[in-house]
Amino acid sequence: MIKVTLPDGAVREYAEGSSAMDVARSISEGLARNVLAAKVNGEVREAGRPLPGDCSVSLLTWNDTEGKNTFWHSSAHLLAEALEALYPGVKFGIGPPIENGFYYDVDLGDRTIGDGDFAAIEAKMKELAGRKSAFVRQEVSKAEAIRYFTTKGDEYKLELIDGLNDGEITFYQQGDFVDLCRGPHIPDTSFIKAAKVMSVAGAYWRGDEKRKQLTRIYGITFPKQKELDEYLVLLEEAKKRDHRKLGRELDLFTFSERVGAGLPLWLPKGAALRERLINFMKEAQEKAGYVQVATPHIGGKSLYETSGHWEKYGKDSFQPISTPQEGELFMLKPMNCPHHCEIFASRPRSYKDLPLRFAEFGTVYRYEQSGELHGLARVRGFTQDDAHLFCRPDQVQEEFMKVIDLVLLVLRALGLEQFEAQVSLRDQVDRSKYIGSEENWQKAEQAIIDAAAQSGLKTVVEYGEAAFYGPKLDFMVRDALGRRWQLGTIQVDYNLPERFELEYVGSDNQRHRPVMIHRAPFGSLERFIALIIEHTAGRFPLWLTPEQAIILPISDKYIDAAQQVAGNLKDSDIRASVDERSEKIGRKIRDAELSKVPFMLIIGEKEEETNTVSVREQGKGDLGAMDLDGFRRLVNERIQASLGTH
């Protein structure tokens, strides 16, 4: 018999060779019908695979992220099977699950796929799913794998096999389709009830612009048709909220081919909005004991060799900049932390100086592939609300908890109430991606787990998501449409202080190594603003919006009165402008509604005589007449309520 520990701590005994599906059936047949996969000792596996002995088991359904990922991974294989049936001789690259659905990179030879082909692919997927083909796992030798794909004539799979070793290669088969894959997969294809091909795009093989461009086919599937229908409605709403579309309409930002792809240009309204976010954070940081620093946009290559960024990020960065001096190389900075380490090292430090909290709105540069650029959400130059805290080991937990409080303040102020705190740890198997000793990593991981627990945060653990120098606490925010965005992050780092040989003199008069906490509540300002635009559909919180009120004179006769009102409001720090166009008042109101200005103040003969304004609220209608003091109170009360500063 083997002992199986369930998520609630209960321990049950099963015959040796039992599977997670057997565990599910012993609990209830209804549960077993919904199980897609299982997490066994932290590893996601097929529900039907025999358990390895005494172990912990979590059963995964459509309601679990790992369950959805497995479902969509299997759906990518179903898409590939359909393509092979419809386009004989098609060759396959990779087909992973993504946040919403999956894609498969394929080589169609001289054929193409367009919107007109989607319905036939979907129909074939539905037909194949109805055959209830099991996903069968088979361990194969490297020689067998090479033989199979050589016979099939698929050079992409052969290249993937080249990087694998004997003992770590598996095939999965459903129906007549066989794929190189490490899995896991759902029990069979019948779980997939609804399928939609979303789009096609070009994608260079292995992200290398010098390699062949393949066709990337995006799809999504669901266990019920109703869920697909609801998703498509949500998608239409998402198109209306697309920050690229609204950014143009609201005059916030633009891009220029001459400036370069992925390098945003902020227009006056967008720059003002950006500045308000920066000032909000600066004020909060000042209250929390941070000091502001500023560092250059470039640094010597040796700086990033010391930090490890060159080794880990070099190929994804803009390449080194040569100077007239032979052998002198600079880089556009990919991160601010090495610069802040040098500021710490610029003078002797005592234990009495700690914690030191250096903050900077620092712009960094990463060479993202052109196909991955996406408005403000994925750019090549972005500004982080970066800070690095240098503290004694006994201060780590308290400082970490204070940073959590700062992140929560930001989320509340922007109305982002739905979020998940993710503890991002190292890959449990592959340690080659990380720098530093096992001891330092264990201390850093435990510090994050303890601080999150002490703060009362509900957390999930994700392995393989740590930064190369330390584990993280990532805040995964859900917007108004339920989509997940990674925003604020907090990291504990024992490694960079070691690499930069940072020291402070302790109370024992000996030299000690500080611990470094990296934090960025907004993350990237660009990505954060993209989220806020889509979350609010351009109706920003009153304290943040570029224009809080627009004054609408009924005719040209009342423009002077409107200008006087605008001046009075600006003196009270209320952002207001006047619509001076010779248009009818109905047109002015409609245009103001479309511009998403929170308040419209209408001035005509009656308002001029009584020193009042008729107030309309965007999307809600008439609030009646009030004097300017009453309107100021209304604005200030709304701002205080949204910022929680009663």
Side-chain angles (χ1 to χ4, degrees):
M1 303 295 285
I2 59 172
K3 292 181 179 177
V4 172
T5 304
L6 299 174
D8 63 0
V11 178
R12 297 188 178 205
E13 290 195 344
Y14 295 89
E16 190 175 353
S18 295
S19 67
M21 190 61 81
D22 294 323
V23 174
R25 289 194 190 98
S26 74
I27 297 170
S28 91
E29 283 294 334
L31 172 62
R33 283 194 294 273
N34 290 304
V35 168
L36 299 173
K39 193 184 273 190
V40 180
N41 291 337
E43 178 195 0
V44 181
R45 298 157 50 111
E46 277 83 23
R49 278 181 69 184
L51 297 171
D54 293 350
C55 58
S56 64
V57 171
S58 297
L59 300 167
L60 303 174
T61 68
W62 177 251
N63 296 323
D64 301 293
T65 300
E66 294 106 325
K68 279 191 177 75
N69 284 343
T70 305
F71 187 93
W72 284 331
H73 185 186
S74 300
S75 300
H77 282 232
L78 182 67
L79 168 65
E81 185 182 6
L83 292 172
E84 197 163 71
L86 295 170
Y87 302 90
V90 61
K91 298 173 184 179
F92 297 98
I94 58 170
I98 53 178
E99 186 176 353
N100 285 303
F102 53 90
Y103 69 77
Y104 220 123
D105 288 343
V106 301
D107 184 347
L108 294 159
D110 56 2
R111 295 164 293 188
T112 59
I113 287 177
D115 294 3
D117 304 305
F118 291 179
I121 297 170
E122 291 160 6
K124 179 57 74 172
M125 288 178 72
K126 190 171 181 181
E127 175 200 325
L128 295 170
R131 295 179 185 177
K132 200 176 180 179
S133 301
F135 286 90
V136 180
R137 180 177 186 272
Q138 180 188 0
E139 295 181 6
V140 297
S141 68
K142 189 166 184 174
E144 288 175 290
I146 290 170
R147 191 158 49 246
Y148 179 83
F149 284 107
T150 300
T151 303
K152 193 176 182 186
D154 196 327
E155 64 267 28
Y156 303 103
K157 296 297 181 183
L158 287 169
E159 187 174 329
L160 294 172
I161 292 165
D162 191 48
L164 301 174
N165 300 313
D166 262 322
E168 58 185 27
I169 300 174
T170 50
F171 282 180
Y172 278 84
Q173 179 169 358
Q174 90 273 5
D176 295 327
F177 181 72
V178 177
D179 206 352
L180 171 73
C181 180
R182 66 165 58 97
H185 287 282
I186 61 178
D188 64 65
T189 57
S190 69
F191 285 78
I192 303 167
K193 299 286 197 252
K196 183 78 176 168
V197 177
M198 302 303 297
S199 62
V200 294
Y204 292 106
W205 173 233
R206 298 197 136 178
D208 185 345
E209 293 179 11
K210 295 174 184 172
R211 307 291 299 274
K212 182 167 184 178
Q213 190 174 66
L214 305 183
T215 301
R216 177 168 291 180
I217 304 174
Y218 288 94
I220 195 163
T221 52
F222 290 89
K224 294 178 182 174
Q225 181 64 41
K226 181 187 174 194
E227 289 173 318
L228 173 58
D229 295 340
E230 290 170 350
Y231 174 77
L232 294 176
V233 169
L234 202 65
L235 214 56
E236 284 305 307
E237 178 61 25
K239 286 178 186 174
K240 295 176 193 171
R241 292 171 177 249
D242 189 316
H243 74 276
R244 295 167 297 178
K245 170 179 173 286
L246 290 176
R248 282 193 304 273
E249 292 173 4
L250 299 175
D251 277 335
L252 298 177
F253 61 89
T254 188
F255 288 89
S256 158
E257 286 185 17
R258 287 181 179 175
V259 172
L263 300 170
L265 300 171
W266 292 96
L267 305 178
K269 286 183 180 179
L273 182 145
R274 192 173 181 270
E275 203 60 31
R276 273 188 288 283
L277 281 171
I278 289 172
N279 291 337
F280 169 80
M281 181 57 71
K282 280 184 176 177
E283 187 179 329
Q285 287 177 166
E286 193 175 332
K287 289 177 182 174
Y290 288 77
V291 290
Q292 206 70 25
V293 298
T295 62
H297 289 250
I298 65 172
K301 183 186 171 192
S302 62
L303 177 71
Y304 306 109
E305 288 175 332
T306 300
S307 69
H309 288 98
W310 174 251
E311 178 192 346
K312 300 296 180 182
Y313 284 123
K315 66 173 189 239
D316 298 319
S317 299
F318 285 89
Q319 290 307 291
I321 305 161
S322 299
T323 72
Q325 184 171 321
E326 190 176 345
E328 187 176 53
L329 293 173
F330 287 87
M331 287 181 64
L332 288 169
K333 66 176 175 183
M335 296 238 177
N336 299 300
C337 37
H339 295 250
H340 291 191
C341 286
E342 288 298 293
I343 291 175
F344 183 92
S346 65
R347 49 159 287 192
R349 307 289 180 181
S350 159
Y351 73 97
K352 293 178 182 177
D353 299 327
L354 306 184
L356 266 176
R357 309 178 185 97
F358 296 146
E360 175 182 17
F361 284 86
T363 301
V364 297
Y365 302 89
R366 314 265 175 86
Y367 189 78
E368 303 285 358
Q369 297 292 333
S370 58
E372 295 176 340
L373 298 174
H374 181 76
L376 294 180
R378 196 77 180 263
V379 289
R380 287 174 172 167
F382 56 93
T383 302
Q384 294 178 306
D385 60 324
D386 224 348
H388 296 94
L389 292 73
F390 299 88
C391 52
R392 304 189 307 264
D394 62 293
Q395 296 171 321
V396 171
Q397 186 166 325
E398 182 183 356
E399 288 301 308
F400 200 97
M401 289 168 64
K402 286 179 181 176
V403 176
I404 289 174
D405 290 341
L406 187 60
V407 174
L408 297 180
L409 170 71
V410 169
L411 298 182
R412 281 195 299 270
L414 275 304
L416 298 166
E417 304 292 347
Q418 290 189 38
F419 65 89
E420 187 177 72
Q422 175 181 298
V423 179
S424 299
L425 305 179
R426 288 172 298 172
D427 191 294
Q428 290 179 295
V429 179
D430 181 8
R431 303 293 210 215
S432 65
K433 299 182 281 187
Y434 312 103
I435 61 173
S437 68
E438 184 68 25
E439 179 190 0
N440 281 349
W441 272 92
Q442 287 177 358
K443 284 192 290 188
E445 288 175 343
Q446 198 58 50
I448 289 180
I449 291 166
D450 291 345
Q454 191 71 22
S455 296
L457 280 181
K458 283 182 66 179
T459 59
V460 296
V461 174
E462 286 291 339
Y463 292 98
E465 294 298 318
F468 75 88
Y469 48 77
K472 305 183 291 178
L473 184 68
D474 291 321
F475 287 81
M476 317 300 287
V477 175
R478 290 203 179 272
D479 68 12
L481 299 183
R483 297 169 303 177
R484 202 164 175 253
W485 300 66
Q486 180 181 337
L487 283 186
T489 185
I490 320 172
Q491 303 160 9
V492 175
D493 180 6
Y494 284 80
N495 291 314
L496 285 190
E498 211 165 78
R499 292 175 78 97
F500 280 91
E501 300 180 344
L502 304 183
E503 293 178 336
Y504 67 91
V505 177
S507 58
D508 58 0
N509 216 30
Q510 300 298 309
R511 296 188 177 279
H512 298 274
R513 194 79 74 207
V515 183
M516 196 171 169
I517 296 175
H518 307 241
R519 51 111 285 208
F522 291 147
S524 140
L525 265 176
E526 285 70 16
R527 183 174 171 77
F528 191 80
I529 290 171
L531 161 61
I532 294 304
I533 292 171
E534 297 198 8
H535 177 63
T536 64
R539 296 178 181 88
F540 301 110
L542 189 55
W543 68 270
L544 182 61
T545 192
E547 196 170 20
Q548 293 169 321
I550 186 165
I551 301 145
L552 310 178
I554 286 178
S555 69
D556 293 351
K557 181 180 173 184
Y558 303 105
I559 286 176
D560 288 345
Q563 291 286 12
Q564 192 174 346
V565 168
N568 286 337
L569 292 177
K570 286 176 184 175
D571 289 342
S572 303
D573 292 327
I574 293 174
R575 299 182 289 280
S577 65
V578 178
D579 185 344
E580 297 184 359
R581 296 176 303 161
S582 298
E583 297 281 359
K584 291 184 178 178
I585 192 66
R587 172 66 185 273
K588 289 183 178 182
I589 290 171
R590 281 195 301 276
D591 289 348
E593 286 276 354
L594 290 172
S595 297
K596 299 177 171 56
V597 180
F599 293 105
M600 287 150 268
L601 310 183
I602 299 167
I603 294 181
E605 182 179 3
K606 181 181 173 185
E607 288 80 15
E608 187 179 41
E609 287 175 357
T610 57
N611 286 321
T612 61
V613 288
S614 290
V615 181
R616 291 180 62 88
E617 186 170 2
Q618 203 267 342
K620 295 183 180 177
D622 190 16
L623 299 184
M626 58 182 78
D627 60 24
L628 287 190
D629 284 340
F631 180 66
R632 287 189 194 97
R633 281 195 301 274
L634 172 65
V635 170
N636 289 329
E637 284 168 6
R638 293 284 182 88
I639 289 173
Q640 288 169 1
S642 67
L643 291 175
T645 54
H646 290 292

